[in-house]
Amino acid sequence: MSHARATHLTRRGILAAGGALGLGAVLAACGDGDAKDSGADKGTNPAKSGPWSFKDDRGTTVKLDKVPTNIVAFTGVAAALFDYGIEVKGVFGPTRTTDGKADVQAGDMDVSKLTIFGNKFDSFNVEQYAAFQPEVLISTTFDDAGSLWYVPLASADKIAKLAPSVAVSVYDRQMPEPLQRMAELAESLGADLKSAKNVEAKKKFEAAAERLRKAAKARPEIRVLAGSAAQDVFYVSGSNYSIDLEYFKALGVNLVEPPEEAKKDTGGWFETLSWENVDKYPADVIIMDDRASTIQPADVTEATWKKLPAVKAGQVIARSPEPILSYDKCTPLLDNLAEAIEKAKKVG
């Protein structure tokens, strides 16, 4: 879109800060470049010989003499590939929380076995990355310029010289498209998409999507608000650009939509509200950003939040603004929202 480059820096910051998202929200951080080195263990990916190539969502085709095994990826991408049996040993992005546990974006990976080049936004240990001798770097992109998510702009050129990169777009499209692209990427790396496990995972996702469609059709009066909490402000996300919200809307979910004028300072992503005005939009169900960089519903102390009808009715569930792009991980997102709508009382 025409405004993408103009809002690029703001967009990266606000997405990292809160996903529905928030200027000024502080990222939970464990420091960067502080993980164990994986040494000679380059992974246990399915055997696949011969040259490798993959055309990514920037239109860039990466070609290598052999299928890469020494892969470095954004944490959420690594988690998605892990679900397909592709082991990534080096990651960057939210991987461990401040107490050392696995971040929600790490999925089912054992984070103690990962080499982490940066655990927070705008941090990336380039020297450690070079020593790792990566064969390819994989991330998502949140804009039409194709910038790599969580690769710092200040060191992007240095990082790009060390290994080719692959980008999967999660910008301004619906969830099934990036899910399919991630599956194709996993297949190119050796995953068997025809295995019983992978076939069943996709079927469950499709069934969950149909369940959500039916729930939305049966309960069109239920208004769903996508929110994110920071210390001083509350963010209400519009459906534009976000792969989950665009898909929910396409399935018929009655999403709260802040007007474009209210979102203009954030490139059209969200509206910023003071806690005093958190009741601006009536809502029956609230889906809240589940990332460690945001305040979780149970920890919100603002009285205005506690007075919201949806909160008082217990109709608040988690949302993953950066879904792990495997069918296995996205299916619960659809099922949970469908269940919330099916059971919701009209309170907004």
Side-chain angles (χ1 to χ4, degrees):
M1 301 179 71
S2 61
H3 65 266
R5 292 183 184 273
T7 61
H8 174 57
L9 291 175
T10 298
R11 183 173 296 160
R12 287 173 64 87
I14 63 183
L15 284 168
L21 309 144
L23 292 165
V26 179
L27 281 168
C30 304
D32 55 16
D34 56 354
K36 296 180 181 179
D37 193 320
S38 60
D41 182 2
K42 301 303 182 183
T44 57
N45 295 343
K48 191 172 183 179
S49 59
W52 178 80
S53 69
F54 187 81
K55 185 176 182 179
D56 75 0
D57 290 339
R58 299 170 299 182
T60 299
T61 299
V62 176
K63 296 181 179 180
L64 299 175
D65 293 337
K66 63 182 181 68
V67 178
T69 56
N70 208 31
I71 303 168
V72 172
F74 172 67
T75 302
V77 170
L81 292 175
F82 182 86
D83 286 348
Y84 286 107
I86 305 301
E87 187 174 3
V88 175
K89 304 299 287 188
V91 299
F92 56 96
T95 307
R96 292 194 305 243
T97 58
T98 52
D99 59 3
K101 296 180 180 179
D103 188 278
V104 65
Q105 291 183 260
D108 294 332
M109 294 188 296
D110 182 348
V111 298
S112 69
K113 295 181 179 180
L114 298 172
T115 297
I116 306 173
F117 302 107
N119 197 64
K120 59 183 179 179
F121 190 69
D122 244 6
S123 69
F124 195 111
N125 191 319
V126 180
E127 291 74 20
Q128 186 188 24
Y129 178 66
F132 189 79
Q133 298 182 321
E135 295 173 285
V136 66
L137 179 148
I138 308 173
S139 190
T140 51
T141 181
F142 274 90
D143 56 41
D144 56 9
S147 59
L148 297 171
W149 187 228
Y150 264 76
V151 172
L153 294 178
S155 54
D157 289 343
K158 292 181 180 179
I159 293 169
K161 293 176 182 178
L162 296 170
S165 63
V166 168
V168 175
S169 180
V170 288
Y171 172 63
D172 198 16
R173 57 200 64 201
Q174 296 176 24
M175 186 182 286
E177 185 176 349
L179 272 172
Q180 178 62 32
R181 292 294 285 145
M182 189 63 72
E184 292 168 357
L185 175 59
E187 184 176 38
S188 78
L189 295 169
D192 179 9
L193 298 188
K194 295 181 181 180
S195 70
K197 175 184 176 182
N198 286 327
V199 169
E200 183 65 16
K202 188 173 183 180
K203 285 183 178 179
K204 287 183 177 179
F205 174 82
E206 292 169 346
E210 184 59 26
R211 178 186 179 185
L212 180 55
R213 188 193 305 276
K214 290 180 178 179
K217 184 176 181 179
R219 303 293 307 278
E221 76 281 8
I222 300 300
R223 288 168 55 87
V224 178
L225 181 147
S228 184
Q231 183 173 352
D232 299 319
V233 288
F234 183 81
Y235 309 99
V236 178
S237 182
S239 64
N240 290 351
Y241 312 133
S242 299
I243 62 170
D244 61 331
L245 300 185
E246 285 200 8
Y247 191 43
F248 297 163
K249 185 175 182 179
L251 291 173
V253 174
N254 183 5
L255 289 171
V256 170
E257 294 281 1
E260 292 304 314
E261 180 66 19
K263 300 183 293 180
K264 66 178 182 179
D265 292 334
T266 63
W269 285 89
F270 65 91
E271 179 179 0
T272 305
L273 299 176
S274 66
W275 281 106
E276 288 76 14
N277 295 318
V278 73
D279 60 352
K280 180 177 179 179
Y281 299 107
D284 304 290
V285 173
I286 301 176
I287 54 176
M288 288 289 286
D289 190 337
D290 67 355
R291 294 177 299 175
S293 56
T294 67
I295 300 176
Q296 296 306 298
D299 299 319
V300 176
T301 59
E302 299 291 339
T304 49
W305 163 261
K306 294 180 179 180
K307 292 179 181 178
L308 291 177
V311 175
K312 293 173 67 175
Q315 295 175 177
V316 179
I317 65 171
R319 173 203 170 202
S320 297
E322 294 181 60
I324 293 173
L325 293 172
S326 70
Y327 293 107
D328 181 70
K329 292 297 183 294
C330 286
T331 295
L333 306 181
L334 303 181
D335 274 331
N336 292 343
L337 180 54
E339 182 179 11
I341 292 173
E342 290 164 355
K343 296 181 177 180
K345 298 177 182 178
K346 180 61 183 173
V347 296

